[in-house]
């Protein structure tokens, strides 16, 4: 078999790129989604979440008290609960009280113990009823707990004075946390766990429509037959198409990294943190480049898989139904960087997509293990080469190209 | 120019099992000749032309096209042929100039040759007024002219046209038939398939009547009429393709 000729491959590649950039669907998935949609989603999502949090904090709560007469000091303390109105429900059966919490008439109930809490000889129980699955009720519980903790500290201090005992009796030592991570590093950690997922997914979707268009689309339009009758060999056609899909995947990947970085940094700044502006100067350009270099073999793998799958489809609609499950299959391994406790082991270094997700995360957080990165690059390159081999074999099959 | 010997093509279909689309056919097309494959839909014409254009691999038999075996040297064969189907399927997001540039590049023309070739076909087929308009915005006739231009961009010595006028309006179909007639005077060899009896009668030097994957008769119109003992091509065609119906009439 003759070796593929570079000029023929380049001719196919150039034509496919020209065709792609004139396709609105491809432009949407390749440029508009990574550049505009995701940052806008993130910023709008952040604003919505922040405003929802703010509105939750401002919510007025109703807290029922039962038998509060016996502990006037505790009642007095509870009156200090933020944004809460205390309503006396003494005498109401407990089941009825529970029903009212479930019905959201009241958000929580505090059942007093019926004894004076100033008496150190007893250790009574204060019961707090709430529903953890209800946002407002859970908020009421948190506010009540905060108030009760402060009241407990107050009682303990009084008793220590009464018994003439030092504070160290109940608090043998103090704890002082010193978080070495700077605000910048904390944000970078969030970015590093989120970015690989988005990067992998956007690189894949960037390759998706061009792959469909160049295979099933070409069949559907009926242009494949004349292309196959041209002097370009099947291998040259495959390589040209592969390079075009790979190019769009890489463009999408690069744009997503840039826009996500800018979005997170500017979004952080916009949402009130002052570190956003500084962070933009501190993000390691080398780490970003390293992350993108990991994407090269992965984009090649995606391009080959998508071309292989889509060439079997008779129409673009059919091709879309073929690639849909692939998107779902991709989500879990791509999310590995966001999973708590996921580690860069040798096993994961050989697992496609998982390895890149973890490697990109480690690069961004400056914790990269050169062996892991090396194996990730090697294994993904091997998979990509196998993928290209498979694609070229499938393109030789008449049953795939001329399925009836 | 074309020498076909015992050419066969069998497809495997999961539902229908083995389908013998072409059954050991043999014919020759001489240099400078217009040769028509006449047959109904499903006769095996498209499969035959696809094998000769090296798009499909023969299951058995041999075919030598422009001096090259279709199985052993498919790339060499493709360098010598201009292939056209009647669907006028083109890249709608490209302009005719971009499309022609693409195919000129696939044929390995140098930049100077490419520009000259585009100018030649643009002038020959009147593309100038729309050569930089996207194909998606062109009329059927303009697309057809673009399609023929693409097929002849490298000035092929052999043209293979698969039902080039099927589904076209009379004016667009006329462009094709005129082009075929002109090709005859230019010494180009042309093999085309059709199911229009009149088209075969008017254009072809020789005809092969195909039915059910087999060639039932080959020769000039006079030879076919003589072989079948009929008076016109329609009678000859039905006597070969549907003898019972022909006998009944």
């Amino acid at each position: 078999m003759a070796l593929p000729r570079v000029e023929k491959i380049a001719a196919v590649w150039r034509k496919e790129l020209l065709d792609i950039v004139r396709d609105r669907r491809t432009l949407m998935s390749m440029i508009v989604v990574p550049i505009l949609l995701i940052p806008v989603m993130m910023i709008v999502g952040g604003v919505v979440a922040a405003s929802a949090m703010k509105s939750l904090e401002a919510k007025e709560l109703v807290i029922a008290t039962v038998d509060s007469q016996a502990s006037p000091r505790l009642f007095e303390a509870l009156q200090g609960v933020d944004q809460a109105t205390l309503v006396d429900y003494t005498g109401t059966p407990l089941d009825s009280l529970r029903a009212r919490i479930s019905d959201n008439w009241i958000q929580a109930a505090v059942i007093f113990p019926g004894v004076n809490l100033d008496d150190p000889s007893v250790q009574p129980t204060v019961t707090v009823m709430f529903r953890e699955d209800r946002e407002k009720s859970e908020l009421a519980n948190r506010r009540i707990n905060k108030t009760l903790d402060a009241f407990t500290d107050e009682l303990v201090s009084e008793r220590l004075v009464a018994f003439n005992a030092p504070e160290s009796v109940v608090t043998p030592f103090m704890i002082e946390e010193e978080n070495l991570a700077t605000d910048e590093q904390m944000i970078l950690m969030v970015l590093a766990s989120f970015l690989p997922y988005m990067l992998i997914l956007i690189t894949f979707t960037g390759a998706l429509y061009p792959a469909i268009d160049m295979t099933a689309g070409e069949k559907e339009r009926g242009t494949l037959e004349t292309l196959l009758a041209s002097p370009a060999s099947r291998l040259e056609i495959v390589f040209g198409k592969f390079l075009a899909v790979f190019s769009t995947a890489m463009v999408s990947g690069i744009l997503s990294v840039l826009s996500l970085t800018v979005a997170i940094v500017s979004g952080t700044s916009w949402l009130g943190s002052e570190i956003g502006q500084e962070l933009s100067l501190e993000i390691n350009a080398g780490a970003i480049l390293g992350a993108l270099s990991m994407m090269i073999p992965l984009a090649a793998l995606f391009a080959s898989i998508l071309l292989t799958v889509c060439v079997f489809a008779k129409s673009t609609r059919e091709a879309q139904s073929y690639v849909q499950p692939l998107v779902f299959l991709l989500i879990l391994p791509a999310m590995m960087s966001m999973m708590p406790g996921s580690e860069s082991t040798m096993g994961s270094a050989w697992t496609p997509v998982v390895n890149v997700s973890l490697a990109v995360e480690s690069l961004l957080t400056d914790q990269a293990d050169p062996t892991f990165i090396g194996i990730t690059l090697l294994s993904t390159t091997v998979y990509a080469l196998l993928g290209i081999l498979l694609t070229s074999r499938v393109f030789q099959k008449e049953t795939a190209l001329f399925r009836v | 120019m074309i020498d076909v010997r015992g050419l066969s093509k069998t497809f495997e279909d999961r539902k229908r099992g083995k389908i013998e689309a072409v059954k050991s056919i043999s014919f020759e097309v001489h240099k400078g000749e217009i040769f028509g494959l006449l047959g109904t839909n499903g006769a095996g014409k498209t499969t035959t032309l696809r094998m000769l254009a090296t798009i499909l691999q023969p299951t058995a038999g041999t075919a030598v096209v422009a001096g090259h075996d279709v199985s052993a040297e498919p790339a060499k064969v493709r360098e010598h042929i201009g292939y056209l189907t009647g669907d006028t399927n083109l890249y709608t997001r490209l302009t005719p100039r971009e499309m022609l540039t693409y195919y000129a590049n696939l044929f390995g023309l140098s930049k100077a040759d490419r520009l000259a070739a585009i100018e030649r076909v643009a002038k020959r087929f009147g593309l100038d007024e729309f050569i930089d308009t996207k194909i998606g915005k062109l009329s059927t006739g303009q697309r057809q002219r673009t399609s023929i231009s693409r097929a002849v961009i490298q000035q092929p010595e052999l043209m293979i046209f698969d039902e080039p006028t099927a589904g076209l309006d009379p004016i667009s179909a006329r462009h094709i038939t005129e082009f075929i007639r002109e090709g005859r005077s230019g010494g180009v060899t042309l093999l085309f398939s059709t199911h229009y009896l009149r088209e075969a009668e008017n254009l072809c030097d020789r005809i092969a009547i195909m039915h059910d994957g087999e060639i039932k008769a080959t020769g000039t119109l006079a030879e076919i009429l003589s072989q079948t003992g009929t008076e016109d091509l329609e009678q000859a065609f039905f006597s070969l393709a549907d003898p019972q119906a022909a006998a009944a009439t």
Side-chain angles (χ1 to χ4, degrees), chain A residues 138-154:
Chain A
E138 211 277 323
L139 179 68
N141 178 49
R142 265 190 282 138
R143 287 184 188 169
I144 292 167
N145 269 327
K146 195 176 154 194
T147 304
L148 290 181
D149 284 347
F151 181 58
T152 306
D153 288 347
E154 194 182 313

PDB file of all heavy atoms in Angstrom, chain A residues 138-154:
ATOM      1  N   GLU A 138     -33.558  23.827  58.635  1.00  0.00           N
ATOM      2  CA  GLU A 138     -32.146  23.547  58.920  1.00  0.00           C
ATOM      3  C   GLU A 138     -31.435  24.835  59.356  1.00  0.00           C
ATOM      4  O   GLU A 138     -30.611  24.841  60.264  1.00  0.00           O
ATOM      5  CB  GLU A 138     -31.509  22.960  57.654  1.00  0.00           C
ATOM      6  CG  GLU A 138     -30.386  21.970  57.902  1.00  0.00           C
ATOM      7  CD  GLU A 138     -29.069  22.661  58.146  1.00  0.00           C
ATOM      8  OE1 GLU A 138     -28.818  23.696  57.496  1.00  0.00           O
ATOM      9  OE2 GLU A 138     -28.297  22.187  58.999  1.00  0.00           O
ATOM     10  N   LEU A 139     -31.824  25.930  58.718  1.00  0.00           N
ATOM     11  CA  LEU A 139     -31.252  27.236  59.080  1.00  0.00           C
ATOM     12  C   LEU A 139     -31.637  27.601  60.518  1.00  0.00           C
ATOM     13  O   LEU A 139     -30.804  28.078  61.309  1.00  0.00           O
ATOM     14  CB  LEU A 139     -31.783  28.297  58.096  1.00  0.00           C
ATOM     15  CG  LEU A 139     -31.321  29.724  58.310  1.00  0.00           C
ATOM     16  CD1 LEU A 139     -29.835  29.856  58.019  1.00  0.00           C
ATOM     17  CD2 LEU A 139     -32.104  30.690  57.424  1.00  0.00           C
ATOM     18  N   ALA A 140     -32.893  27.309  60.882  1.00  0.00           N
ATOM     19  CA  ALA A 140     -33.356  27.581  62.251  1.00  0.00           C
ATOM     20  C   ALA A 140     -32.538  26.774  63.250  1.00  0.00           C
ATOM     21  O   ALA A 140     -32.099  27.288  64.281  1.00  0.00           O
ATOM     22  CB  ALA A 140     -34.827  27.243  62.365  1.00  0.00           C
ATOM     23  N   ASN A 141     -32.294  25.497  62.923  1.00  0.00           N
ATOM     24  CA  ASN A 141     -31.503  24.633  63.806  1.00  0.00           C
ATOM     25  C   ASN A 141     -30.094  25.204  64.008  1.00  0.00           C
ATOM     26  O   ASN A 141     -29.573  25.225  65.123  1.00  0.00           O
ATOM     27  CB  ASN A 141     -31.440  23.229  63.212  1.00  0.00           C
ATOM     28  CG  ASN A 141     -30.591  22.296  64.059  1.00  0.00           C
ATOM     29  OD1 ASN A 141     -30.780  22.232  65.275  1.00  0.00           O
ATOM     30  ND2 ASN A 141     -29.654  21.606  63.443  1.00  0.00           N
ATOM     31  N   ARG A 142     -29.496  25.670  62.875  1.00  0.00           N
ATOM     32  CA  ARG A 142     -28.136  26.219  62.986  1.00  0.00           C
ATOM     33  C   ARG A 142     -28.123  27.457  63.888  1.00  0.00           C
ATOM     34  O   ARG A 142     -27.263  27.623  64.738  1.00  0.00           O
ATOM     35  CB  ARG A 142     -27.620  26.595  61.588  1.00  0.00           C
ATOM     36  CG  ARG A 142     -26.789  25.475  60.952  1.00  0.00           C
ATOM     37  CD  ARG A 142     -26.105  25.953  59.695  1.00  0.00           C
ATOM     38  NE  ARG A 142     -27.031  25.994  58.574  1.00  0.00           N
ATOM     39  CZ  ARG A 142     -27.098  26.964  57.682  1.00  0.00           C
ATOM     40  NH1 ARG A 142     -26.299  28.027  57.804  1.00  0.00           N
ATOM     41  NH2 ARG A 142     -27.944  26.923  56.694  1.00  0.00           N
ATOM     42  N   ARG A 143     -29.113  28.307  63.724  1.00  0.00           N
ATOM     43  CA  ARG A 143     -29.163  29.539  64.529  1.00  0.00           C
ATOM     44  C   ARG A 143     -29.411  29.210  66.010  1.00  0.00           C
ATOM     45  O   ARG A 143     -28.819  29.819  66.895  1.00  0.00           O
ATOM     46  CB  ARG A 143     -30.268  30.466  64.013  1.00  0.00           C
ATOM     47  CG  ARG A 143     -29.877  31.100  62.688  1.00  0.00           C
ATOM     48  CD  ARG A 143     -30.929  32.092  62.243  1.00  0.00           C
ATOM     49  NE  ARG A 143     -30.665  32.569  60.900  1.00  0.00           N
ATOM     50  CZ  ARG A 143     -31.535  33.268  60.186  1.00  0.00           C
ATOM     51  NH1 ARG A 143     -32.718  33.577  60.674  1.00  0.00           N
ATOM     52  NH2 ARG A 143     -31.217  33.684  58.985  1.00  0.00           N
ATOM     53  N   ILE A 144     -30.286  28.248  66.248  1.00  0.00           N
ATOM     54  CA  ILE A 144     -30.572  27.847  67.648  1.00  0.00           C
ATOM     55  C   ILE A 144     -29.312  27.271  68.282  1.00  0.00           C
ATOM     56  O   ILE A 144     -28.935  27.627  69.399  1.00  0.00           O
ATOM     57  CB  ILE A 144     -31.735  26.810  67.695  1.00  0.00           C
ATOM     58  CG1 ILE A 144     -33.050  27.477  67.280  1.00  0.00           C
ATOM     59  CG2 ILE A 144     -31.862  26.181  69.083  1.00  0.00           C
ATOM     60  CD1 ILE A 144     -34.178  26.497  66.986  1.00  0.00           C
ATOM     61  N   ASN A 145     -28.628  26.390  67.533  1.00  0.00           N
ATOM     62  CA  ASN A 145     -27.397  25.767  68.060  1.00  0.00           C
ATOM     63  C   ASN A 145     -26.342  26.799  68.410  1.00  0.00           C
ATOM     64  O   ASN A 145     -25.653  26.682  69.422  1.00  0.00           O
ATOM     65  CB  ASN A 145     -26.825  24.807  67.022  1.00  0.00           C
ATOM     66  CG  ASN A 145     -27.389  23.417  67.228  1.00  0.00           C
ATOM     67  OD1 ASN A 145     -27.662  23.017  68.360  1.00  0.00           O
ATOM     68  ND2 ASN A 145     -27.586  22.699  66.147  1.00  0.00           N
ATOM     69  N   LYS A 146     -26.236  27.783  67.562  1.00  0.00           N
ATOM     70  CA  LYS A 146     -25.238  28.832  67.793  1.00  0.00           C
ATOM     71  C   LYS A 146     -25.549  29.559  69.104  1.00  0.00           C
ATOM     72  O   LYS A 146     -24.678  29.792  69.949  1.00  0.00           O
ATOM     73  CB  LYS A 146     -25.291  29.824  66.612  1.00  0.00           C
ATOM     74  CG  LYS A 146     -24.109  30.751  66.519  1.00  0.00           C
ATOM     75  CD  LYS A 146     -24.258  31.605  65.257  1.00  0.00           C
ATOM     76  CE  LYS A 146     -23.506  32.911  65.428  1.00  0.00           C
ATOM     77  NZ  LYS A 146     -23.872  33.887  64.403  1.00  0.00           N
ATOM     78  N   THR A 147     -26.822  29.854  69.290  1.00  0.00           N
ATOM     79  CA  THR A 147     -27.253  30.553  70.506  1.00  0.00           C
ATOM     80  C   THR A 147     -27.068  29.662  71.735  1.00  0.00           C
ATOM     81  O   THR A 147     -26.577  30.103  72.788  1.00  0.00           O
ATOM     82  CB  THR A 147     -28.742  30.963  70.363  1.00  0.00           C
ATOM     83  OG1 THR A 147     -28.856  31.747  69.193  1.00  0.00           O
ATOM     84  CG2 THR A 147     -29.222  31.744  71.551  1.00  0.00           C
ATOM     85  N   LEU A 148     -27.424  28.384  71.606  1.00  0.00           N
ATOM     86  CA  LEU A 148     -27.286  27.451  72.734  1.00  0.00           C
ATOM     87  C   LEU A 148     -25.814  27.251  73.113  1.00  0.00           C
ATOM     88  O   LEU A 148     -25.470  27.158  74.288  1.00  0.00           O
ATOM     89  CB  LEU A 148     -27.933  26.095  72.398  1.00  0.00           C
ATOM     90  CG  LEU A 148     -29.464  26.077  72.298  1.00  0.00           C
ATOM     91  CD1 LEU A 148     -29.961  24.666  71.987  1.00  0.00           C
ATOM     92  CD2 LEU A 148     -30.118  26.576  73.598  1.00  0.00           C
ATOM     93  N   ASP A 149     -24.943  27.177  72.086  1.00  0.00           N
ATOM     94  CA  ASP A 149     -23.502  27.036  72.350  1.00  0.00           C
ATOM     95  C   ASP A 149     -22.989  28.235  73.156  1.00  0.00           C
ATOM     96  O   ASP A 149     -22.220  28.084  74.121  1.00  0.00           O
ATOM     97  CB  ASP A 149     -22.721  26.920  71.036  1.00  0.00           C
ATOM     98  CG  ASP A 149     -22.871  25.542  70.423  1.00  0.00           C
ATOM     99  OD1 ASP A 149     -23.363  24.635  71.120  1.00  0.00           O
ATOM    100  OD2 ASP A 149     -22.525  25.372  69.226  1.00  0.00           O
ATOM    101  N   ALA A 150     -23.413  29.420  72.758  1.00  0.00           N
ATOM    102  CA  ALA A 150     -22.962  30.632  73.452  1.00  0.00           C
ATOM    103  C   ALA A 150     -23.476  30.630  74.897  1.00  0.00           C
ATOM    104  O   ALA A 150     -22.756  30.972  75.839  1.00  0.00           O
ATOM    105  CB  ALA A 150     -23.452  31.866  72.707  1.00  0.00           C
ATOM    106  N   PHE A 151     -24.758  30.195  75.054  1.00  0.00           N
ATOM    107  CA  PHE A 151     -25.355  30.145  76.395  1.00  0.00           C
ATOM    108  C   PHE A 151     -24.634  29.102  77.261  1.00  0.00           C
ATOM    109  O   PHE A 151     -24.376  29.326  78.442  1.00  0.00           O
ATOM    110  CB  PHE A 151     -26.847  29.827  76.262  1.00  0.00           C
ATOM    111  CG  PHE A 151     -27.566  29.786  77.581  1.00  0.00           C
ATOM    112  CD1 PHE A 151     -27.579  30.897  78.441  1.00  0.00           C
ATOM    113  CD2 PHE A 151     -28.243  28.643  77.989  1.00  0.00           C
ATOM    114  CE1 PHE A 151     -28.238  30.853  79.661  1.00  0.00           C
ATOM    115  CE2 PHE A 151     -28.908  28.588  79.209  1.00  0.00           C
ATOM    116  CZ  PHE A 151     -28.914  29.696  80.052  1.00  0.00           C
ATOM    117  N   THR A 152     -24.278  27.958  76.658  1.00  0.00           N
ATOM    118  CA  THR A 152     -23.547  26.910  77.389  1.00  0.00           C
ATOM    119  C   THR A 152     -22.199  27.456  77.869  1.00  0.00           C
ATOM    120  O   THR A 152     -21.810  27.261  79.034  1.00  0.00           O
ATOM    121  CB  THR A 152     -23.307  25.686  76.473  1.00  0.00           C
ATOM    122  OG1 THR A 152     -24.553  25.276  75.943  1.00  0.00           O
ATOM    123  CG2 THR A 152     -22.683  24.528  77.222  1.00  0.00           C
ATOM    124  N   ASP A 153     -21.487  28.144  76.994  1.00  0.00           N
ATOM    125  CA  ASP A 153     -20.188  28.735  77.366  1.00  0.00           C
ATOM    126  C   ASP A 153     -20.357  29.689  78.547  1.00  0.00           C
ATOM    127  O   ASP A 153     -19.540  29.711  79.477  1.00  0.00           O
ATOM    128  CB  ASP A 153     -19.579  29.486  76.179  1.00  0.00           C
ATOM    129  CG  ASP A 153     -19.091  28.545  75.110  1.00  0.00           C
ATOM    130  OD1 ASP A 153     -18.994  27.318  75.387  1.00  0.00           O
ATOM    131  OD2 ASP A 153     -18.829  28.991  73.974  1.00  0.00           O
ATOM    132  N   GLU A 154     -21.440  30.423  78.509  1.00  0.00           N
ATOM    133  CA  GLU A 154     -21.708  31.405  79.569  1.00  0.00           C
ATOM    134  C   GLU A 154     -21.927  30.685  80.902  1.00  0.00           C
ATOM    135  O   GLU A 154     -21.342  31.054  81.933  1.00  0.00           O
ATOM    136  CB  GLU A 154     -22.964  32.199  79.182  1.00  0.00           C
ATOM    137  CG  GLU A 154     -23.204  33.464  79.972  1.00  0.00           C
ATOM    138  CD  GLU A 154     -24.508  34.133  79.526  1.00  0.00           C
ATOM    139  OE1 GLU A 154     -24.723  34.257  78.297  1.00  0.00           O
ATOM    140  OE2 GLU A 154     -25.293  34.493  80.409  1.00  0.00           O
TER     141      GLU A 154
END
